[in-house]
Structure formats: structure tokens, C-alpha cells
Amino acid sequence: MKLLVITALMALSAISLHAQTANPGYNKPLADSLGADAYGMKYYVLVILKTGPRPADNKDTVAALFRGHMENIGRLAKSGKLAVAGPLAKNDRNWRGIFILNVPTVEEAEALLQTDPAVAGGLLAADCLRWYGSAALPMYLPYHDKIQEKNF
């Protein structure tokens, strides 16, 4: 029994030491430029976009609000404030899409959402949650431009 306990403690020590070793590929300037912590992570705000309180009964108004919504997505992406955006498949929760905003607080996210005509106009509503993810997440957007054949 004593041998089993000693073996288990040695295994735990080895796992602990392995988990704390430095990454030989670590790039401090890149990590710093992305706002990464020691684990390569940082806080973002996950936004669940859902159907808002405004009725979608006027096609011209809806078209104008969504055109502004798409333009705002492009503006936020170019400014580095939007890391991810996309629609959700039809569902029974009235969830329409998601954003992952490259800001650390819900308050900053809510201020950015008010620049979106579809949100400000009540066609979409938003739930905001802080989310901890890879600091490298925004780096995928430049690659998307290389694989996108058509614009929305």
C-alpha cells in the first residue's frame, strides 16, 4: 500500500512539473501584442444576437437595418473589435447569430452594439457574456479574406 501511495505521489509530481514547463515556441512580442496572459488566453465578450422587440413588418426598413448591420460588422472587424461573427441556423430560441467582441468588458461590448443599426433599431437584441479564449482568435480574420470568393 505504501508503495502504491508513493508511486501515485511521484506520478502527480511528474504531471505537475510537466504542466508548468515553459513553451519553447513562446513568442513574447506576439503574445504581448495580442494581450495574452501566461496561458495565451484573454477575455472577450460573447454576444448572442436574438430577435428583437421591433416587428419586422416593413421590408424596406428591415433591408436598411440589415444593410447597416453588415456594414457595421465590417467596420468592427477592420477596427479589431470584432473577432468572430456569424448567423445561427434556425432554432426555437429565436437566436439569430453570434459575435465575439475583442473587448474585455460587457459595458464596452454594449456600447459597440449600439453602433449596430439592427440592434439600435430593435430588430435584434443581444445577450452579452464574458468569455475566456485564445488571444490568437482575431488572427484568423485575415485568412478569411483569402478564402472568401464572394462578399455578402
Side-chain angles (χ1 to χ4, degrees):
M1 180 68 167
K2 187 176 181 180
L3 182 59
L4 180 62
V5 171
I6 291 172
T7 304
L9 287 174
M10 288 176 61
L12 287 173
S13 296
I15 291 170
S16 176
L17 287 174
H18 177 70
Q20 295 176 9
T21 60
N23 174 5
Y26 177 64
N27 182 328
K28 182 170 176 34
L30 179 60
D32 289 346
S33 75
L34 294 169
D37 64 14
Y39 300 102
M41 308 281 278
K42 70 182 218 175
Y43 276 100
Y44 298 90
V45 176
L46 169 66
V47 178
I48 305 290
L49 295 169
K50 55 191 181 181
T51 302
R54 182 186 189 131
D57 53 3
N58 183 310
K59 283 187 176 190
D60 292 336
T61 300
V62 170
L65 290 174
F66 272 105
R67 188 170 39 258
H69 172 68
M70 297 305 292
E71 290 169 359
N72 194 59
I73 286 172
R75 184 184 64 76
L76 290 174
K78 283 181 183 154
S79 74
K81 296 295 183 184
L82 180 68
V84 174
L88 294 171
K90 192 169 187 158
N91 60 78
D92 60 357
R93 296 183 180 180
N94 291 320
W95 289 0
R96 306 288 297 279
I98 67 161
F99 288 158
I100 297 178
L101 295 173
N102 193 7
V103 296
T105 68
V106 168
E107 293 77 21
E108 289 176 81
E110 289 171 342
L112 287 175
L113 289 170
Q114 287 309 306
T115 68
D116 187 309
V119 174
L123 202 58
L124 296 173
D127 288 335
C128 298
L129 304 159
R130 288 188 80 212
W131 178 70
Y132 188 62
S134 172
L137 184 62
M139 294 182 70
Y140 95 92
L141 283 174
Y143 291 97
H144 182 76
D145 287 341
K146 296 176 189 318
I147 64 169
Q148 178 182 357
E149 183 177 353
K150 297 180 180 181
N151 290 320
F152 286 100

